[in-house]
């Protein structure tokens, strides 16, 4: 082996190690930030507070309580008499509780459920950083600090600040980067397996995926149409696998009062274009709309420069 080949091999090993370290840090840095926030605000087990507000307390916690009892006692997942004269628990489970991470509640006492769900939120935020790190590092020639910072920004975004109490939707944010990685594998390498399984896990991303596919930079019109056949096939396959949860959830929603008159919401602007542009600069007062009992969700954005170099 000559010096040039040996140097190339060392560089490849160094690149692999750097990528591995960045991915690990993409998980642990958001985790440390979230734990620090829990300590600062006295969230259980560091105090008596919780990350759950609004529906997180009024609805989700009773659902977790029912799930906990069923998992511990081996009760049926199809029905429950814990609410009213009885409820269809399968549809409720499919919509609210089907995340595999919810099984972690079994490691806690029932009196610790609030803490358990808060910790699940923290874990989902950290995993969001991990998946973002995997995706962005795969697109970078030299994964480094920029990849780590972007991954952290994704995991600790304004959406997480405002809606982390909607614990069931965090799975979509958590798996989203893997869905996009799988879609690019399908387009660039004709391998749709990762895309199919990732979309199966978070099928609610399907609308965005269709938009992304249409706007993707294809090499030719021929590639667009032929990859489109594979894209359609794997998308329907993911839908078929996800139907085991989608169908019960849909049927359950249709039986509710709001489900009988489901329609697209009316479109309206919360602010004008000039004001929205101003909000993108640092040190500017964020847009605030305190229209519910959990106080305000903050959305703060800044124009950034620099990007992860791609292959």
């Amino acid at each position: 082996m000559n010096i040039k080949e040996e140097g190339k091999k060392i560089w490849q090993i160094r690149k692999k190690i750097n990528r591995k370290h960045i991915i690990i840090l993409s998980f642990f840095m958001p985790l440390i930030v979230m734990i620090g926030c829990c300590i600062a605000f006295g969230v259980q087990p560091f105090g008596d507070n919780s990350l759950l507000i609004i529906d997180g307390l009024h609805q989700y916690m009773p659902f977790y309580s029912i799930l906990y009892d069923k998992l511990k006692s081996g009760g049926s997942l199809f029905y429950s008499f814990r609410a009213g004269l009885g409820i269809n628990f399968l549809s409720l489970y499919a919509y609210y509780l089907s995340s595999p991470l919810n099984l972690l509640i079994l490691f806690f006492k029932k009196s610790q459920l609030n803490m358990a769900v808060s910790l699940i939120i923290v874990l989902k935020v950290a995993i969001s950083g991990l998946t973002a790190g995997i995706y962005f590092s795969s697109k970078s020639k030299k994964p480094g600090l920029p990849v780590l910072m972007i991954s952290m920004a994704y995991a600790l975004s304004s959406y997480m600040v405002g809606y982390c109490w909607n614990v069931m939707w965090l799975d979509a944010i958590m798996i989203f980067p893997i869905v996009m990685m799988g879609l690019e594998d399908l387009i660039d390498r004709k391998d749709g397996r990762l895309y199919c399984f990732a979309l199966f896990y978070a099928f609610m991303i399907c609308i965005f995926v269709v938009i992304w596919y249409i706007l993707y930079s294809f090499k030719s019109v021929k590639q667009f149409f032929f990859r489109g056949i594979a894209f359609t096939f794997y998308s329907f396959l993911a839908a078929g696998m996800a139907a085991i949860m989608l169908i019960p959830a849909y049927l359950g929603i249709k039986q509710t009062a709001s489900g009988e008159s489901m329609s697209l919401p009316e479109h309206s602007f919360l602010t004008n274009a000039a004001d929205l542009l101003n909000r993108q600069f640092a040190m500017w007062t964020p847009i605030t709309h305190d229209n519910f009992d959990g106080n305000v969700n903050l959305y703060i954005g800044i124009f950034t420069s620099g990007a992860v170099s791609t292959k």
Side-chain angles (χ1 to χ4, degrees):
M1 181 182 295
N2 56 41
I3 298 176
K4 184 177 180 180
E5 291 177 348
E6 185 175 354
K8 184 178 180 180
K9 184 177 180 181
I10 293 174
W11 181 84
Q12 290 175 342
I13 295 174
R14 182 181 177 184
K15 179 182 177 181
K16 184 176 180 180
I17 293 175
N18 286 340
R19 181 174 185 269
K20 180 177 68 175
H21 289 167
I22 290 299
I23 291 174
I24 292 174
L25 287 173
S26 296
F27 172 82
F28 281 103
M29 292 302 292
L31 180 65
I32 292 172
V33 171
M34 288 299 296
I35 292 176
C37 290
C38 289
I39 295 173
F41 293 102
V43 175
Q44 296 177 343
F46 307 105
D48 297 325
N49 295 324
S50 170
L51 292 177
L52 296 170
I53 58 173
I54 322 171
D55 288 347
L57 290 174
H58 304 159
Q59 294 185 35
Y60 306 164
M61 283 309 301
F63 297 160
Y64 274 103
S65 177
I66 298 174
L67 177 65
Y68 184 90
D69 289 338
K70 287 184 175 293
L71 292 176
K72 285 289 188 177
S73 63
S76 172
L77 291 178
F78 292 95
Y79 209 79
S80 173
F81 290 97
R82 289 274 298 275
L85 296 177
I87 57 173
N88 179 353
F89 187 74
L90 179 60
S91 61
L92 187 148
Y93 173 82
Y95 189 81
Y96 290 100
L97 303 168
S98 56
S99 172
L101 291 178
N102 288 338
L103 295 176
L104 293 176
I105 64 177
L106 294 175
F107 294 96
F108 297 84
K109 298 177 181 178
K110 190 175 181 180
S111 60
Q112 298 174 322
L113 270 181
N114 202 316
M115 177 178 68
V117 178
S118 291
L119 293 178
I120 288 174
I121 291 174
V122 170
L123 184 59
K124 287 185 178 183
V125 172
I127 295 176
S128 297
L130 173 67
T131 56
I134 293 173
Y135 174 68
F136 289 121
S137 64
S138 70
K139 298 181 68 64
S140 175
K141 294 179 180 179
K142 296 180 180 180
L145 186 61
V147 170
L148 176 60
M149 297 303 294
I150 293 174
S151 301
M152 290 184 62
Y154 176 82
L156 302 170
S157 65
S158 293
Y159 180 89
M160 295 297 198
V161 173
Y163 289 102
C164 68
W165 54 271
N166 256 323
V167 59
M168 62 183 182
W169 294 117
L170 296 186
D171 286 70
I173 306 299
M174 187 175 72
I175 300 299
F176 179 77
I178 305 302
V179 175
M180 303 315 300
M181 178 183 288
L183 178 60
E184 293 180 6
D185 283 348
L186 187 152
I187 295 173
D188 297 332
R189 290 181 280 277
K190 302 180 182 180
D191 187 352
R193 292 173 296 178
L194 178 61
Y195 166 72
C196 182
F197 285 107
L199 188 64
F200 155 65
Y201 186 92
F203 192 76
M204 64 286 293
I205 300 173
C206 61
I207 296 177
F208 180 88
V209 170
V210 172
I211 298 173
W212 187 263
Y213 183 88
I214 295 173
L215 298 178
Y216 193 82
S217 179
F218 289 91
K219 296 178 181 179
S220 64
V221 176
K222 180 180 177 181
Q223 185 189 40
F224 173 83
F225 283 104
F226 279 96
R227 293 295 189 278
I229 296 173
F231 171 71
T232 303
F233 169 77
Y234 283 111
S235 297
F236 275 103
L237 181 59
M241 293 189 295
I244 191 173
M245 290 288 106
L246 294 176
I247 292 176
Y250 172 77
L251 294 177
I253 292 173
K254 289 293 291 183
Q255 294 175 359
T256 63
S258 58
E260 295 177 356
S261 59
M262 283 192 300
S263 61
L264 294 176
E266 295 183 3
H267 181 271
S268 63
F269 288 100
L270 298 178
T271 183
N272 57 57
D275 188 51
L276 184 62
L277 183 65
N278 288 334
R279 306 294 178 178
Q280 300 305 309
F281 293 95
M283 308 305 293
W284 195 272
T285 304
I287 299 173
T288 60
H289 296 281
D290 190 0
N291 55 7
F292 65 100
D293 61 356
N295 293 323
V296 66
N297 291 326
L298 303 179
Y299 292 87
I300 305 174
I302 59 171
F303 288 121
T304 57
S305 60
V308 180
S309 58
T310 57
K311 296 179 182 179

